Amino acid sequence: MPQAPAAQAGRKPSRIQLRNRKRILEAALEVFSTHGYRGATLDQIAAEAGLSKPNILYYFDGKEEIHVTLLNQLLDAWLAPLHAIDPAGDPLDEILTYVRRKLAMSRDLPRESRLFANEILQGAPRMGPHLESVLKPLVDQTSMIIQGWIAAGRLSPVDPRHLLFSIWATTQHYADFEAQVGVLMGEVDVHAGASAHLEAMFGRLLRPNAAMG
Amino acid sequence: MPQAPAAQAGRKPSRIQLRNRKRILEAALEVFSTHGYRGATLDQIAAEAGLSKPNILYYFDGKEEIHVTLLNQLLDAWLAPLHAIDPAGDPLDEILTYVRRKLAMSRDLPRESRLFANEILQGAPRMGPHLESVLKPLVDQTSMIIQGWIAAGRLSPVDPRHLLFSIWATTQHYADFEAQVGVLMGEVDVHAGASAHLEAMFGRLLRPNAAMG
DNA sequence: TCGCTTTTTTACCATTTGGTAAACTTACGA
DNA sequence: TCGTAAGTTTACCAAATGGTAAAAAAGCGA
């Protein structure tokens, strides 16, 4: 049976395959992130990728597979900064570094942020299981680390999960709500201001009350 | 020329008209907020409203008009808490009250929050002008108030706009990313935790360094 | 109750869209 | 260079979808 590279797990992909799959995913990221899953069409993705629609379906089994591929691929990159938190490091420094990294990602990878936001907004229909199996354990683990720091008096007491929500919300806001931020901020260097603001905010929240005894 | 209540501005609406337009908007809010503009279909809205599709188009000129009506209607309600900030009040109290109100809105009106998020995520294609003409002036004005408080030493110095972004981001996160929050928090009372966390966070950020001379 | 207006339904339509079949072309190892 | 497999295109399809025409069915003031 010849012909069938759509989702074959067996053979190793050819050069052309590698190149075209990458092109398609890049185009799909652009289109999905701006229009959402339903709002994106295969024709748009095809045009953006410079390929014909049937050709796209030669590499992926369908619209949904492209979307899911993108999403799962994204989640790993998305969680990398969280993995990078070092329990042995300085608590405040670890968390502020995390904030900085997340903010940088919002600036450098806004489409990824919006793709993710779109998916969650609609109830994570194509990602629910992944969140449960990948995100949740990591968050539980990170929460434990933060709890440990708090117990050791090295961090002001906060709910670790709500802290993470705050960090995600504030950093991703600059990507996800860019249209609104743009209207309100004009030409100003948004990133610099955001960086200073968030560092001050999380710094004050987390820095333990110096003395105390 | 009989028949034409779609968007007539002249006549005063009948009882039936009032009831059905309300039904349609309620149904549309439900559908648009979960599937986005493009993801929503008139058939879904019709089913949800308990009316036939042509009947819906008897009350509104088209899908887009329903969406825009909803959006503009929403923005007013959305900005009410911002209007409620009193320049003569206690700065910290005014802002924390604002945070509390926004958080309550996320809890009580999550669909509205998601509808708005969807629109902004996609670049505010149907709302851009409104943001410029309604939101921007109000934000500028509020920023002036906050600046005044800071200048008077009654509030720790922060960039008013980034402060507002932080408040919007953190409070709306609980509605917009509910699917994710649900996975990570389980059965816990999310609102209570969020409320405590956000009050602590913005309290610490904004409370001026007590003495100083 | 009559007659006119408002409201609702039935029957369609044109377009868009995800997807397929099969022919055609290109790449590449032997 | 030749044959086979990989890759691409052309020509379609069926379903979904936003929207319309026109007739039928309420409402309602006189």
Side-chain angles (χ1 to χ4, degrees):
Chain A
M1 55 176 81
Q3 183 257 98
Q8 29 73 295
R11 290 267 157 276
K12 59 184 167 186
S14 74
R15 221 178 322 156
I16 294 179
Q17 228 165 112
L18 244 37
R19 169 171 54 83
N20 282 354
R21 285 183 69 100
K22 190 174 292 182
R23 272 193 196 173
I24 293 170
L25 288 174
E26 157 66 28
L29 173 60
E30 182 69 31
V31 178
F32 279 134
S33 68
T34 6
H35 302 285
Y37 178 74
R38 191 93 186 321
T41 73
L42 285 179
D43 286 302
Q44 276 175 290
I45 296 174
E48 183 82 24
L51 297 172
S52 67
K53 183 167 63 174
N55 203 5
I56 290 213
L57 292 166
Y58 173 73
Y59 289 103
F60 289 90
D61 272 340
K63 186 183 178 181
E64 183 158 346
E65 201 201 280
I66 302 179
H67 194 243
V68 170
T69 301
L70 223 40
L71 238 29
N72 293 345
Q73 207 171 275
L74 162 64
L75 192 59
D76 293 333
W78 218 237
L79 296 182
L82 202 55
H83 270 116
I85 291 181
D86 179 8
D90 173 65
L92 193 55
D93 194 47
E94 288 296 320
I95 293 181
L96 289 186
T97 296
Y98 177 62
V99 170
R100 257 174 250 123
R101 284 198 181 127
K102 285 293 289 179
L103 186 60
M105 289 182 73
S106 265
R107 180 194 47 186
D108 301 332
L109 306 171
R111 296 175 307 174
E112 282 81 350
S113 185
R114 285 194 279 261
L115 181 74
F116 189 72
N118 255 309
E119 170 71 5
I120 305 294
L121 246 189
Q122 314 199 342
R126 278 167 278 277
M127 240 202 158
H130 236 75
L131 292 183
E132 191 76 55
S133 67
V134 178
L135 177 64
K136 188 160 189 293
L138 183 55
V139 166
D140 286 344
Q141 179 195 320
T142 308
S143 295
M144 293 293 282
I145 296 176
I146 296 176
Q147 287 287 22
W149 284 335
I150 293 172
R154 306 178 66 194
L155 218 53
S156 186
V158 290
D159 182 314
R161 262 165 271 257
H162 287 289
L163 170 64
L164 288 176
F165 293 157
S166 293
I167 295 175
W168 297 342
T170 50
T171 54
Q172 291 172 14
H173 185 87
Y174 292 98
D176 301 345
F177 286 71
E178 193 181 299
Q180 185 178 249
V181 171
V183 166
L184 299 178
M185 296 284 292
E187 300 300 307
V188 186
D189 180 353
V190 175
H191 182 80
S195 184
H197 172 74
L198 294 182
E199 259 174 74
M201 185 166 84
F202 290 110
R204 286 202 184 207
L205 171 65
L206 297 171
R207 201 181 311 280
N209 289 330
M212 173 58 210
Chain B
M1 55 175 79
Q3 184 255 103
Q8 28 76 296
R11 288 267 157 277
K12 57 183 167 188
S14 74
R15 219 178 323 157
I16 293 179
Q17 227 165 113
L18 243 37
R19 169 171 54 81
N20 283 354
R21 284 182 72 100
K22 189 174 293 183
R23 271 192 197 173
I24 293 170
L25 288 175
E26 157 66 27
L29 172 60
E30 182 70 30
V31 178
F32 279 133
S33 68
T34 10
H35 302 284
Y37 178 74
R38 192 94 188 316
T41 73
L42 285 179
D43 288 301
Q44 277 175 291
I45 296 174
E48 183 81 24
L51 297 172
S52 68
K53 182 167 60 175
N55 202 5
I56 289 211
L57 292 166
Y58 171 75
Y59 290 103
F60 289 90
D61 271 341
K63 186 182 177 180
E64 184 158 345
E65 200 202 280
I66 303 179
H67 194 242
V68 170
T69 301
L70 222 40
L71 237 30
N72 293 345
Q73 207 171 277
L74 162 64
L75 192 59
D76 294 334
W78 218 238
L79 296 182
L82 203 55
H83 270 116
I85 291 180
D86 178 9
D90 174 65
L92 193 56
D93 194 48
E94 289 296 320
I95 293 182
L96 289 186
T97 296
Y98 176 63
V99 170
R100 257 174 250 122
R101 285 198 180 125
K102 285 293 289 180
L103 186 61
M105 288 181 74
S106 265
R107 180 194 47 186
D108 301 333
L109 307 171
R111 297 176 306 175
E112 282 81 350
S113 184
R114 283 194 279 262
L115 181 75
F116 188 72
N118 255 310
E119 171 70 6
I120 305 294
L121 247 189
Q122 314 200 341
R126 277 166 279 276
M127 240 201 157
H130 237 74
L131 291 183
E132 191 78 53
S133 68
V134 177
L135 177 65
K136 189 160 188 293
L138 182 56
V139 165
D140 286 345
Q141 179 195 319
T142 308
S143 294
M144 293 293 282
I145 296 176
I146 296 176
Q147 288 287 22
W149 285 334
I150 293 171
R154 306 178 66 194
L155 218 51
S156 187
V158 291
D159 181 315
R161 261 165 272 257
H162 286 289
L163 170 64
L164 288 175
F165 293 157
S166 292
I167 294 175
W168 297 342
T170 51
T171 54
Q172 290 171 15
H173 184 87
Y174 291 98
D176 301 345
F177 286 70
E178 192 181 298
Q180 186 178 249
V181 170
V183 166
L184 298 179
M185 295 286 291
E187 300 302 308
V188 186
D189 181 352
V190 175
H191 182 80
S195 183
H197 172 74
L198 294 182
E199 258 174 75
M201 185 166 82
F202 290 110
R204 285 203 184 204
L205 172 64
L206 297 172
R207 200 182 311 279
N209 289 329
M212 173 60 207

